[in-house]
Amino acid sequence: PYTQHTDTHTPFFFLRPIYETMTSVVAGACLIVSVFVASGVTSHALRKFDYRTVSPEWQPERPAFGIWSLIFGASLAVGLRTMVVTPERNEIVACVAQSLTYVLCAYWGVAFSQRRFWRACAVLLAAFALSTGTLLGTRYGPLTEVSLGLLAGWLGVASSLGCAIAIGTPETRWILVVAGALLSTCTAVYGRLVLILPLLWALALTPSSWHVHVSACMAVGAGVVAIFA
């Protein structure tokens, strides 16, 4: 007679819970370590770097960068949660993707401190693409959504600054509008409100100009669409 196939017919099926638990513990630990590595390497590499020599005129004020504390805290919470509670497989994948993103952020600090601005720009764009692609690929639990969304959104802002520094011309405000359009589109199409919040935070602390106003209008509009979608 036909017997339905179950996991118990798989060799060593009794080891699967142990394997899944070890996988989640390793993934969570990697994320926690990568957060401290990114923070430590970047701080050490840039401790004597004078940003005033390269920063564009439209760079947000210094307090805007305090959002990293919130981003780091959210990622650490995801890492701890992943270690303690074995989540779904997509949550583990997101945890690994965040770890790789922080590794790229650490390398950005090294490249930027050596004034290799085009390389640093490329690394930031890769980190932005990785985090955003992971966020938009599927749905996650609230904590992972917030962690990934804040990280991806702020890396979008950072990438625009990185591109402006690499280009090095006096007028680069158009890059802010492009970044605003990209983040707003992703937010509206995929309904991820958290993705646009870092841009709004940055714009609130950016010197006023029509570029800022246009980006802010797009961001607010995208946020409204994401809320009611």
Side-chain angles (χ1 to χ4, degrees):
Y2 172 76
T3 303
Q4 184 177 2
H5 177 77
T6 63
D7 286 344
T8 58
H9 295 153
T10 304
F12 304 109
F13 71 91
F14 55 89
L15 294 178
R16 177 168 295 181
I18 300 175
Y19 168 77
E20 292 177 348
T21 300
M22 290 181 61
T23 301
S24 63
V25 169
V26 171
C30 285
L31 178 54
I32 292 173
V33 171
S34 67
V35 169
F36 286 108
V37 168
S39 176
V41 169
T42 303
S43 299
H44 178 75
L46 300 175
R47 67 189 186 284
K48 296 182 180 179
F49 193 91
D50 187 0
Y51 290 94
R52 294 172 297 180
T53 61
V54 297
S55 298
E57 295 180 355
W58 52 272
Q59 177 169 303
E61 298 174 6
R62 191 173 184 84
F65 295 87
I67 194 174
W68 275 116
S69 298
L70 180 60
I71 295 172
F72 287 154
S75 294
L76 290 174
V78 170
L80 287 172
R81 191 279 311 273
T82 304
M83 293 180 66
V84 175
V85 180
T86 304
E88 298 292 332
R89 182 171 299 179
N90 65 327
E91 296 273 349
I92 296 177
V93 171
C95 192
V96 174
Q98 286 190 73
S99 301
L100 294 176
T101 300
Y102 281 119
V103 171
L104 290 172
C105 290
Y107 181 63
W108 166 83
V110 175
F112 194 85
S113 67
Q114 297 172 349
R115 306 186 74 88
R116 298 178 178 178
F117 298 135
W118 278 111
R119 181 179 298 182
C121 176
V123 171
L124 273 181
L125 289 172
F128 170 62
L130 175 58
S131 56
T132 304
T134 304
L135 173 68
L136 303 182
T138 186
R139 289 286 180 177
Y140 304 97
L143 183 57
T144 300
E145 285 273 342
V146 170
S147 176
L148 260 178
L150 292 177
L151 178 60
W154 187 252
L155 285 175
V157 176
S159 296
S160 66
L161 289 170
C163 290
I165 293 172
I167 293 172
T169 57
E171 183 50 60
T172 55
R173 287 186 176 91
W174 59 270
I175 298 177
L176 178 61
V177 178
V178 172
L182 178 60
L183 288 171
S184 298
T185 300
C186 292
T187 299
V189 171
Y190 291 92
R192 293 325 223 289
L193 177 63
V194 68
L195 183 62
I196 206 66
L197 297 181
L199 176 62
L200 289 170
W201 168 252
L203 293 174
L205 295 171
T206 299
S208 179
S209 69
W210 72 265
H211 307 79
V212 173
H213 299 155
V214 169
S215 299
C217 288
M218 290 190 294
V220 171
V224 172
V225 171
I227 291 174
F228 294 102

